[in-house]
Amino acid sequence: MTPPSPPDVALRSGTADASVWDAVARLYVEAFAAPPYGEEPGLLGEIALWGPAFLATPGAALVTAMQDGDTLGFALGRTLASDPGWQRLLARCGTAEATALTGDPHDVFVIQELATAAAARRRGIARLCLARLLGARPESRVVLGVYEQAVQAHRFYAALGYTAVGAVTIEGGHRLDVLAR
């Protein structure tokens, strides 16, 4: 039996084809409609609508990991300077650590989304996507949010050196833990 080919990891900035966004949307729904997230699939699918404008903002990037025609994972982010929503979220944390991140928003990168297909988990796909997304970034700090109930995600980010800098309650009453490194 021939082993599967290694994933093709592509980094995009500025634009991505509609087919890429369709694949990202399918994976996004698969990952975040399931437990422990339980988010609304229809709303999740809208990443195909808002994603292109997000990617077009200064400092934004999208990474996809593909293998044999399947999307195994993706990572999406942008500089804090281009993300007023994250600037407000950090201010809401009310901690010195979160406030310090807003001091130079051009030196902070926000990981907006990271997802791995269920069938591809525990194969290093998320690490691969993050490494490609962050590999050539000029920012010295990285920030992201993780739902409190996402225990495995917390473990994953802790293993990569992320620590909690605050928490906020977001839409739907969920607690979002804000992590940085």
Side-chain angles (χ1 to χ4, degrees), residues 80-145:
L80 182 60
S82 295
D83 201 323
W86 260 92
Q87 291 174 31
R88 288 188 299 273
L89 190 139
L90 288 169
R92 286 180 45 213
C93 285
T95 65
E97 296 92 343
T99 301
L101 291 168
T102 63
D104 183 0
H106 294 281
D107 195 37
V108 179
F109 188 77
V110 178
I111 299 171
Q112 184 72 29
E113 304 297 346
L114 174 66
T116 303
R121 292 195 182 128
R122 309 211 51 86
R123 291 179 28 202
I125 302 300
R127 284 179 191 261
L128 191 63
C129 287
L130 282 179
R132 183 73 168 109
L133 182 69
L134 300 174
R137 298 298 317 176
E139 299 88 2
S140 68
R141 301 293 310 271
V142 180
V143 66
L144 57 93

Short mmCIF file of all heavy atoms in Angstrom, two decimals, residues 80-145:
data_model
loop_
_atom_site.label_atom_id
_atom_site.label_comp_id
_atom_site.label_asym_id
_atom_site.label_seq_id
_atom_site.Cartn_x
_atom_site.Cartn_y
_atom_site.Cartn_z
N LEU A 80 -3.14 42.78 13.96
CA LEU A 80 -4.07 43.45 14.86
C LEU A 80 -4.41 44.86 14.39
O LEU A 80 -5.52 45.34 14.58
CB LEU A 80 -3.49 43.48 16.28
CG LEU A 80 -4.36 44.10 17.37
CD1 LEU A 80 -5.68 43.35 17.53
CD2 LEU A 80 -3.60 44.14 18.69
N ALA A 81 -3.48 45.51 13.72
CA ALA A 81 -3.72 46.87 13.22
C ALA A 81 -4.87 46.90 12.23
O ALA A 81 -5.54 47.93 12.09
CB ALA A 81 -2.45 47.43 12.57
N SER A 82 -5.14 45.79 11.54
CA SER A 82 -6.23 45.71 10.57
C SER A 82 -7.49 45.10 11.15
O SER A 82 -8.43 44.81 10.43
CB SER A 82 -5.80 44.86 9.37
OG SER A 82 -4.76 45.49 8.66
N ASP A 83 -7.53 44.88 12.46
CA ASP A 83 -8.63 44.15 13.06
C ASP A 83 -9.24 44.92 14.25
O ASP A 83 -8.95 44.62 15.41
CB ASP A 83 -8.15 42.78 13.52
CG ASP A 83 -9.28 41.79 13.67
OD1 ASP A 83 -10.37 42.19 14.12
OD2 ASP A 83 -9.07 40.62 13.33
N PRO A 84 -10.12 45.90 13.97
CA PRO A 84 -10.72 46.67 15.06
C PRO A 84 -11.55 45.82 16.02
O PRO A 84 -11.63 46.13 17.21
CB PRO A 84 -11.57 47.72 14.35
CG PRO A 84 -11.70 47.26 12.94
CD PRO A 84 -10.54 46.35 12.66
N GLY A 85 -12.14 44.75 15.53
CA GLY A 85 -12.91 43.87 16.41
C GLY A 85 -12.04 43.24 17.48
O GLY A 85 -12.42 43.18 18.65
N TRP A 86 -10.87 42.77 17.08
CA TRP A 86 -9.94 42.19 18.06
C TRP A 86 -9.36 43.27 18.96
O TRP A 86 -9.09 43.01 20.14
CB TRP A 86 -8.84 41.38 17.37
CG TRP A 86 -9.18 39.93 17.43
CD1 TRP A 86 -9.85 39.19 16.50
CD2 TRP A 86 -8.90 39.05 18.51
NE1 TRP A 86 -9.99 37.90 16.94
CE2 TRP A 86 -9.41 37.78 18.18
CE3 TRP A 86 -8.27 39.20 19.74
CZ2 TRP A 86 -9.31 36.68 19.02
CZ3 TRP A 86 -8.15 38.11 20.58
CH2 TRP A 86 -8.67 36.87 20.22
N GLN A 87 -9.17 44.47 18.47
CA GLN A 87 -8.70 45.55 19.34
C GLN A 87 -9.73 45.80 20.45
O GLN A 87 -9.35 45.94 21.63
CB GLN A 87 -8.45 46.81 18.52
CG GLN A 87 -7.27 46.68 17.58
CD GLN A 87 -7.10 47.89 16.67
OE1 GLN A 87 -7.43 49.01 17.03
NE2 GLN A 87 -6.60 47.64 15.46
N ARG A 88 -11.01 45.82 20.09
CA ARG A 88 -12.07 46.01 21.10
C ARG A 88 -12.13 44.82 22.05
O ARG A 88 -12.31 44.99 23.26
CB ARG A 88 -13.42 46.22 20.42
CG ARG A 88 -13.56 47.57 19.73
CD ARG A 88 -14.98 47.83 19.23
NE ARG A 88 -15.42 46.86 18.25
CZ ARG A 88 -15.21 46.96 16.94
NH1 ARG A 88 -14.55 47.99 16.44
NH2 ARG A 88 -15.67 46.04 16.11
N LEU A 89 -11.98 43.62 21.52
CA LEU A 89 -12.03 42.43 22.35
C LEU A 89 -10.90 42.44 23.38
O LEU A 89 -11.13 42.14 24.56
CB LEU A 89 -11.93 41.18 21.47
CG LEU A 89 -12.20 39.86 22.17
CD1 LEU A 89 -13.04 38.96 21.28
CD2 LEU A 89 -10.91 39.18 22.56
N LEU A 90 -9.71 42.80 22.96
CA LEU A 90 -8.58 42.88 23.90
C LEU A 90 -8.84 43.93 24.98
O LEU A 90 -8.51 43.71 26.15
CB LEU A 90 -7.28 43.15 23.16
CG LEU A 90 -6.74 41.98 22.35
CD1 LEU A 90 -5.61 42.44 21.43
CD2 LEU A 90 -6.28 40.85 23.26
N ALA A 91 -9.43 45.05 24.61
CA ALA A 91 -9.75 46.09 25.59
C ALA A 91 -10.77 45.57 26.60
O ALA A 91 -10.70 45.91 27.79
CB ALA A 91 -10.28 47.33 24.88
N ARG A 92 -11.71 44.75 26.15
CA ARG A 92 -12.74 44.19 27.04
C ARG A 92 -12.16 43.21 28.04
O ARG A 92 -12.77 42.96 29.08
CB ARG A 92 -13.84 43.50 26.23
CG ARG A 92 -14.76 44.46 25.53
CD ARG A 92 -15.85 43.74 24.73
NE ARG A 92 -16.46 42.64 25.45
CZ ARG A 92 -16.92 41.53 24.87
NH1 ARG A 92 -16.84 41.38 23.56
NH2 ARG A 92 -17.49 40.58 25.59
N CYS A 93 -11.01 42.62 27.74
CA CYS A 93 -10.39 41.65 28.66
C CYS A 93 -10.08 42.31 30.00
O CYS A 93 -10.16 41.66 31.04
CB CYS A 93 -9.13 41.06 28.07
SG CYS A 93 -9.41 39.85 26.77
N GLY A 94 -9.68 43.56 29.96
CA GLY A 94 -9.41 44.28 31.19
C GLY A 94 -8.18 43.84 31.96
O GLY A 94 -8.06 44.11 33.15
N THR A 95 -7.25 43.16 31.30
CA THR A 95 -6.02 42.75 31.97
C THR A 95 -4.85 43.55 31.40
O THR A 95 -4.89 44.01 30.26
CB THR A 95 -5.73 41.24 31.76
OG1 THR A 95 -5.49 41.00 30.37
CG2 THR A 95 -6.88 40.38 32.25
N ALA A 96 -3.81 43.68 32.20
CA ALA A 96 -2.62 44.39 31.74
C ALA A 96 -1.99 43.68 30.54
O ALA A 96 -1.52 44.34 29.61
CB ALA A 96 -1.61 44.50 32.88
N GLU A 97 -2.01 42.35 30.55
CA GLU A 97 -1.42 41.58 29.45
C GLU A 97 -2.15 41.84 28.14
O GLU A 97 -1.53 42.03 27.09
CB GLU A 97 -1.43 40.08 29.76
CG GLU A 97 -0.60 39.69 30.95
CD GLU A 97 -1.41 39.67 32.25
OE1 GLU A 97 -2.52 40.25 32.31
OE2 GLU A 97 -0.91 39.08 33.22
N ALA A 98 -3.47 41.85 28.17
CA ALA A 98 -4.26 42.09 26.96
C ALA A 98 -4.09 43.53 26.49
O ALA A 98 -3.93 43.79 25.30
CB ALA A 98 -5.73 41.77 27.20
N THR A 99 -4.10 44.47 27.42
CA THR A 99 -3.93 45.88 27.07
C THR A 99 -2.57 46.11 26.44
O THR A 99 -2.45 46.88 25.48
CB THR A 99 -4.11 46.76 28.32
OG1 THR A 99 -5.43 46.54 28.84
CG2 THR A 99 -3.95 48.23 27.99
N ALA A 100 -1.54 45.45 26.94
CA ALA A 100 -0.19 45.62 26.39
C ALA A 100 -0.14 45.21 24.92
O ALA A 100 0.61 45.80 24.14
CB ALA A 100 0.81 44.80 27.20
N LEU A 101 -0.93 44.23 24.53
CA LEU A 101 -0.94 43.79 23.14
C LEU A 101 -1.44 44.89 22.19
O LEU A 101 -1.04 44.93 21.03
CB LEU A 101 -1.81 42.54 22.97
CG LEU A 101 -1.25 41.27 23.60
CD1 LEU A 101 -2.31 40.18 23.63
CD2 LEU A 101 -0.02 40.80 22.85
N THR A 102 -2.28 45.77 22.69
CA THR A 102 -2.82 46.83 21.84
C THR A 102 -1.86 48.01 21.72
O THR A 102 -2.09 48.92 20.92
CB THR A 102 -4.18 47.34 22.35
OG1 THR A 102 -4.01 47.92 23.65
CG2 THR A 102 -5.20 46.21 22.41
N GLY A 103 -0.78 48.02 22.49
CA GLY A 103 0.18 49.12 22.46
C GLY A 103 0.81 49.35 21.10
O GLY A 103 1.01 50.49 20.68
N ASP A 104 1.13 48.29 20.41
CA ASP A 104 1.66 48.38 19.04
C ASP A 104 0.93 47.35 18.20
O ASP A 104 1.41 46.22 18.02
CB ASP A 104 3.17 48.13 19.01
CG ASP A 104 3.76 48.31 17.61
OD1 ASP A 104 3.00 48.62 16.66
OD2 ASP A 104 4.97 48.11 17.46
N PRO A 105 -0.25 47.69 17.67
CA PRO A 105 -1.05 46.71 16.92
C PRO A 105 -0.39 46.20 15.64
O PRO A 105 -0.79 45.18 15.11
CB PRO A 105 -2.35 47.46 16.62
CG PRO A 105 -2.00 48.90 16.72
CD PRO A 105 -0.89 49.00 17.73
N HIS A 106 0.64 46.90 15.17
CA HIS A 106 1.37 46.43 13.99
C HIS A 106 2.33 45.30 14.33
O HIS A 106 2.86 44.64 13.43
CB HIS A 106 2.14 47.58 13.32
CG HIS A 106 1.23 48.61 12.75
ND1 HIS A 106 0.59 48.46 11.55
CD2 HIS A 106 0.84 49.81 13.24
CE1 HIS A 106 -0.16 49.52 11.30
NE2 HIS A 106 -0.03 50.36 12.32
N ASP A 107 2.55 45.05 15.63
CA ASP A 107 3.48 44.01 16.06
C ASP A 107 2.75 42.78 16.61
O ASP A 107 3.36 41.93 17.24
CB ASP A 107 4.44 44.57 17.12
CG ASP A 107 5.63 43.66 17.34
OD1 ASP A 107 6.13 43.07 16.35
OD2 ASP A 107 6.05 43.52 18.51
N VAL A 108 1.43 42.71 16.38
CA VAL A 108 0.63 41.59 16.87
C VAL A 108 -0.14 40.98 15.71
O VAL A 108 -0.79 41.70 14.95
CB VAL A 108 -0.35 42.04 17.98
CG1 VAL A 108 -1.20 40.86 18.46
CG2 VAL A 108 0.39 42.68 19.14
N PHE A 109 -0.07 39.67 15.58
CA PHE A 109 -0.83 38.95 14.56
C PHE A 109 -1.96 38.21 15.24
O PHE A 109 -1.75 37.55 16.27
CB PHE A 109 0.08 37.97 13.81
CG PHE A 109 -0.58 37.34 12.62
CD1 PHE A 109 -0.71 38.06 11.43
CD2 PHE A 109 -1.07 36.05 12.67
CE1 PHE A 109 -1.32 37.49 10.32
CE2 PHE A 109 -1.67 35.46 11.57
CZ PHE A 109 -1.80 36.19 10.39
N VAL A 110 -3.16 38.30 14.68
CA VAL A 110 -4.35 37.64 15.21
C VAL A 110 -4.64 36.38 14.39
O VAL A 110 -4.84 36.47 13.18
CB VAL A 110 -5.58 38.57 15.16
CG1 VAL A 110 -6.82 37.85 15.68
CG2 VAL A 110 -5.34 39.86 15.93
N ILE A 111 -4.66 35.24 15.05
CA ILE A 111 -5.13 34.02 14.40
C ILE A 111 -6.64 34.03 14.54
O ILE A 111 -7.18 33.83 15.64
CB ILE A 111 -4.52 32.76 15.02
CG1 ILE A 111 -3.00 32.77 14.87
CG2 ILE A 111 -5.13 31.50 14.38
CD1 ILE A 111 -2.30 31.68 15.63
N GLN A 112 -7.32 34.29 13.45
CA GLN A 112 -8.77 34.39 13.46
C GLN A 112 -9.42 33.02 13.50
O GLN A 112 -10.36 32.79 14.26
CB GLN A 112 -9.24 35.15 12.21
CG GLN A 112 -10.72 35.40 12.15
CD GLN A 112 -11.16 36.46 13.14
OE1 GLN A 112 -10.42 37.36 13.49
NE2 GLN A 112 -12.38 36.34 13.61
N GLU A 113 -8.94 32.12 12.65
CA GLU A 113 -9.53 30.78 12.56
C GLU A 113 -8.45 29.75 12.29
O GLU A 113 -7.49 30.01 11.56
CB GLU A 113 -10.57 30.71 11.43
CG GLU A 113 -11.69 31.72 11.51
CD GLU A 113 -12.59 31.60 12.73
OE1 GLU A 113 -12.55 30.55 13.43
OE2 GLU A 113 -13.34 32.55 12.99
N LEU A 114 -8.64 28.57 12.85
CA LEU A 114 -7.79 27.42 12.59
C LEU A 114 -8.69 26.19 12.68
O LEU A 114 -9.41 26.03 13.67
CB LEU A 114 -6.66 27.32 13.62
CG LEU A 114 -5.78 26.07 13.54
CD1 LEU A 114 -4.98 26.05 12.25
CD2 LEU A 114 -4.85 26.00 14.74
N ALA A 115 -8.68 25.37 11.66
CA ALA A 115 -9.52 24.17 11.67
C ALA A 115 -8.81 23.03 10.97
O ALA A 115 -8.06 23.24 10.01
CB ALA A 115 -10.86 24.45 10.99
N THR A 116 -9.08 21.83 11.45
CA THR A 116 -8.55 20.61 10.84
C THR A 116 -9.71 19.66 10.63
O THR A 116 -10.58 19.52 11.50
CB THR A 116 -7.51 19.94 11.76
OG1 THR A 116 -6.48 20.88 12.05
CG2 THR A 116 -6.90 18.71 11.12
N ALA A 117 -9.74 18.99 9.49
CA ALA A 117 -10.77 17.99 9.20
C ALA A 117 -10.71 16.89 10.25
O ALA A 117 -9.62 16.48 10.67
CB ALA A 117 -10.58 17.42 7.80
N ALA A 118 -11.86 16.39 10.65
CA ALA A 118 -11.91 15.35 11.68
C ALA A 118 -11.05 14.15 11.30
O ALA A 118 -10.33 13.61 12.14
CB ALA A 118 -13.36 14.93 11.92
N ALA A 119 -11.09 13.75 10.04
CA ALA A 119 -10.32 12.58 9.59
C ALA A 119 -8.81 12.83 9.57
O ALA A 119 -8.03 11.89 9.48
CB ALA A 119 -10.79 12.16 8.20
N ALA A 120 -8.41 14.09 9.66
CA ALA A 120 -6.97 14.43 9.58
C ALA A 120 -6.38 14.86 10.92
O ALA A 120 -5.22 15.24 10.99
CB ALA A 120 -6.77 15.53 8.55
N ARG A 121 -7.16 14.79 11.97
CA ARG A 121 -6.66 15.25 13.27
C ARG A 121 -5.60 14.30 13.81
O ARG A 121 -5.55 13.13 13.50
CB ARG A 121 -7.82 15.37 14.26
CG ARG A 121 -8.73 16.50 13.82
CD ARG A 121 -9.69 16.96 14.88
NE ARG A 121 -10.52 18.01 14.27
CZ ARG A 121 -11.83 18.03 14.29
NH1 ARG A 121 -12.49 17.10 14.93
NH2 ARG A 121 -12.49 19.00 13.69
N ARG A 122 -4.73 14.88 14.64
CA ARG A 122 -3.62 14.17 15.29
C ARG A 122 -2.57 13.72 14.28
O ARG A 122 -1.86 12.74 14.52
CB ARG A 122 -4.14 13.02 16.16
CG ARG A 122 -5.24 13.49 17.10
CD ARG A 122 -5.36 12.81 18.41
NE ARG A 122 -4.19 12.67 19.21
CZ ARG A 122 -3.71 13.58 20.08
NH1 ARG A 122 -4.29 14.73 20.22
NH2 ARG A 122 -2.66 13.32 20.80
N ARG A 123 -2.49 14.46 13.16
CA ARG A 123 -1.48 14.17 12.15
C ARG A 123 -0.56 15.37 11.92
O ARG A 123 0.21 15.38 10.97
CB ARG A 123 -2.15 13.79 10.82
CG ARG A 123 -2.86 12.46 10.89
CD ARG A 123 -3.57 12.03 9.61
NE ARG A 123 -3.01 12.55 8.39
CZ ARG A 123 -3.70 12.65 7.26
NH1 ARG A 123 -4.95 12.28 7.19
NH2 ARG A 123 -3.13 13.12 6.16
N GLY A 124 -0.68 16.40 12.75
CA GLY A 124 0.19 17.56 12.63
C GLY A 124 -0.27 18.61 11.64
O GLY A 124 0.48 19.54 11.34
N ILE A 125 -1.48 18.49 11.14
CA ILE A 125 -1.98 19.43 10.13
C ILE A 125 -2.13 20.83 10.71
O ILE A 125 -1.72 21.82 10.07
CB ILE A 125 -3.32 18.94 9.53
CG1 ILE A 125 -3.16 17.55 8.89
CG2 ILE A 125 -3.89 19.96 8.55
CD1 ILE A 125 -2.16 17.47 7.76
N ALA A 126 -2.70 20.96 11.89
CA ALA A 126 -2.88 22.29 12.50
C ALA A 126 -1.52 22.94 12.74
O ALA A 126 -1.34 24.13 12.45
CB ALA A 126 -3.66 22.18 13.81
N ARG A 127 -0.55 22.19 13.25
CA ARG A 127 0.80 22.73 13.46
C ARG A 127 1.42 23.17 12.14
O ARG A 127 2.06 24.21 12.07
CB ARG A 127 1.71 21.70 14.11
CG ARG A 127 1.48 21.50 15.57
CD ARG A 127 2.43 20.43 16.11
NE ARG A 127 2.07 20.05 17.44
CZ ARG A 127 2.65 20.51 18.54
NH1 ARG A 127 3.64 21.38 18.44
NH2 ARG A 127 2.26 20.12 19.72
N LEU A 128 1.23 22.37 11.11
CA LEU A 128 1.75 22.69 9.79
C LEU A 128 1.14 23.98 9.25
O LEU A 128 1.85 24.86 8.75
CB LEU A 128 1.47 21.52 8.85
CG LEU A 128 2.12 21.49 7.49
CD1 LEU A 128 3.64 21.41 7.62
CD2 LEU A 128 1.60 20.28 6.72
N CYS A 129 -0.17 24.12 9.39
CA CYS A 129 -0.85 25.33 8.93
C CYS A 129 -0.37 26.56 9.71
O CYS A 129 -0.09 27.61 9.12
CB CYS A 129 -2.37 25.19 9.05
SG CYS A 129 -3.12 24.08 7.84
N LEU A 130 -0.27 26.42 11.02
CA LEU A 130 0.20 27.55 11.83
C LEU A 130 1.64 27.92 11.51
O LEU A 130 1.99 29.10 11.42
CB LEU A 130 0.07 27.25 13.31
CG LEU A 130 -1.32 27.39 13.91
CD1 LEU A 130 -1.30 27.04 15.39
CD2 LEU A 130 -1.89 28.77 13.69
N ALA A 131 2.48 26.92 11.34
CA ALA A 131 3.88 27.19 11.02
C ALA A 131 3.99 27.97 9.71
O ALA A 131 4.77 28.92 9.61
CB ALA A 131 4.67 25.89 10.94
N ARG A 132 3.20 27.59 8.73
CA ARG A 132 3.24 28.29 7.44
C ARG A 132 2.65 29.68 7.56
O ARG A 132 3.15 30.64 6.99
CB ARG A 132 2.48 27.47 6.38
CG ARG A 132 2.52 28.05 5.01
CD ARG A 132 3.91 27.87 4.39
NE ARG A 132 3.87 28.18 2.99
CZ ARG A 132 4.43 29.27 2.46
NH1 ARG A 132 5.10 30.10 3.20
NH2 ARG A 132 4.34 29.49 1.18
N LEU A 133 1.55 29.81 8.32
CA LEU A 133 0.90 31.11 8.50
C LEU A 133 1.82 32.10 9.22
O LEU A 133 1.90 33.26 8.84
CB LEU A 133 -0.40 30.94 9.30
CG LEU A 133 -1.22 32.19 9.54
CD1 LEU A 133 -1.83 32.70 8.24
CD2 LEU A 133 -2.33 31.91 10.55
N LEU A 134 2.51 31.63 10.24
CA LEU A 134 3.31 32.52 11.09
C LEU A 134 4.78 32.58 10.68
O LEU A 134 5.49 33.48 11.12
CB LEU A 134 3.20 32.07 12.55
CG LEU A 134 1.79 32.07 13.13
CD1 LEU A 134 1.81 31.47 14.54
CD2 LEU A 134 1.19 33.45 13.12
N GLY A 135 5.22 31.66 9.85
CA GLY A 135 6.63 31.52 9.52
C GLY A 135 7.34 32.77 9.05
O GLY A 135 8.47 33.03 9.46
N ALA A 136 6.73 33.53 8.20
CA ALA A 136 7.39 34.73 7.65
C ALA A 136 6.77 36.03 8.16
O ALA A 136 7.01 37.09 7.61
CB ALA A 136 7.31 34.69 6.12
N ARG A 137 6.01 35.94 9.22
CA ARG A 137 5.34 37.14 9.75
C ARG A 137 6.36 38.05 10.44
O ARG A 137 7.24 37.57 11.14
CB ARG A 137 4.26 36.78 10.77
CG ARG A 137 3.10 35.95 10.25
CD ARG A 137 2.28 36.55 9.19
NE ARG A 137 1.95 37.95 9.40
CZ ARG A 137 1.29 38.68 8.52
NH1 ARG A 137 0.91 38.18 7.38
NH2 ARG A 137 1.03 39.95 8.78
N PRO A 138 6.21 39.37 10.27
CA PRO A 138 7.12 40.30 10.94
C PRO A 138 6.72 40.58 12.40
O PRO A 138 7.54 41.06 13.17
CB PRO A 138 7.01 41.57 10.10
CG PRO A 138 5.62 41.52 9.54
CD PRO A 138 5.35 40.05 9.29
N GLU A 139 5.49 40.25 12.77
CA GLU A 139 5.02 40.56 14.12
C GLU A 139 5.72 39.66 15.14
O GLU A 139 6.00 38.50 14.87
CB GLU A 139 3.49 40.35 14.23
CG GLU A 139 2.68 41.23 13.33
CD GLU A 139 2.45 40.66 11.93
OE1 GLU A 139 2.90 39.52 11.65
OE2 GLU A 139 1.84 41.34 11.10
N SER A 140 5.98 40.22 16.33
CA SER A 140 6.65 39.44 17.36
C SER A 140 5.67 38.76 18.32
O SER A 140 6.07 37.89 19.09
CB SER A 140 7.61 40.32 18.16
OG SER A 140 6.89 41.27 18.92
N ARG A 141 4.39 39.16 18.28
CA ARG A 141 3.38 38.58 19.18
C ARG A 141 2.25 37.99 18.35
O ARG A 141 1.97 38.44 17.25
CB ARG A 141 2.79 39.65 20.11
CG ARG A 141 3.78 40.38 21.01
CD ARG A 141 4.43 39.50 22.08
NE ARG A 141 3.56 38.69 22.88
CZ ARG A 141 2.98 39.05 24.02
NH1 ARG A 141 3.15 40.26 24.50
NH2 ARG A 141 2.21 38.21 24.68
N VAL A 142 1.58 37.00 18.93
CA VAL A 142 0.44 36.34 18.30
C VAL A 142 -0.66 36.21 19.35
O VAL A 142 -0.38 35.89 20.51
CB VAL A 142 0.81 34.94 17.76
CG1 VAL A 142 -0.39 34.27 17.11
CG2 VAL A 142 1.98 35.02 16.81
N VAL A 143 -1.90 36.45 18.93
CA VAL A 143 -3.04 36.35 19.83
C VAL A 143 -4.16 35.56 19.14
O VAL A 143 -4.26 35.56 17.91
CB VAL A 143 -3.53 37.76 20.28
CG1 VAL A 143 -4.10 38.54 19.12
CG2 VAL A 143 -4.54 37.67 21.41
N LEU A 144 -4.96 34.87 19.95
CA LEU A 144 -6.08 34.10 19.43
C LEU A 144 -7.10 33.88 20.53
O LEU A 144 -6.81 34.11 21.70
CB LEU A 144 -5.60 32.75 18.86
CG LEU A 144 -4.84 31.85 19.82
CD1 LEU A 144 -5.76 30.86 20.50
CD2 LEU A 144 -3.75 31.11 19.08
N GLY A 145 -8.27 33.42 20.15
CA GLY A 145 -9.32 33.12 21.11
C GLY A 145 -9.71 31.66 21.04
O GLY A 145 -9.75 31.07 19.95
#
